[in-house]
Amino acid sequence: MVDDGLLLPIATSGENAKPSKGGFISLVTSKLKDARPVIKSVSLPHWMADEATKAHLSLSHVLQEAPTQKLRK
């Protein structure tokens, strides 16, 4: 699904899984792409770095969100 640009369904823990009437629960496994972190150097305006620090933002997390959203479209 990922290779085809489709979103993966959100996983449900086994104890929270409730099959519909007449349905069943099936365990599904998948092999995801290499998720090892890669270090990239990014330049930000000083004021932006200061504001991110004041807001307790993880810049690493924020910078992962944007490409994730763009690549899911």
Side-chain angles (χ1 to χ4, degrees):
M1 289 177 71
V2 173
D3 289 341
D4 292 335
L6 301 171
L7 293 176
L8 294 176
I10 296 173
T12 302
S13 66
E15 54 270 350
N16 293 331
K18 306 269 191 280
S20 59
K21 187 175 181 178
F24 62 94
I25 297 173
S26 178
L27 178 62
V28 176
T29 61
S30 66
K31 183 177 178 183
L32 298 178
K33 293 182 180 187
D34 185 354
R36 290 178 293 168
V38 177
I39 296 173
K40 295 291 183 179
S41 179
V42 177
S43 298
L44 299 174
H46 193 273
W47 68 267
M48 190 181 293
D50 285 346
E51 292 298 317
T53 300
K54 288 178 193 174
H56 304 287
L57 289 178
S58 163
L59 291 178
S60 180
H61 180 73
V62 170
L63 293 172
Q64 288 179 48
E65 286 178 339
T68 299
Q69 290 175 1
K70 291 283 188 183
L71 294 171
R72 285 185 176 178
K73 292 182 177 181

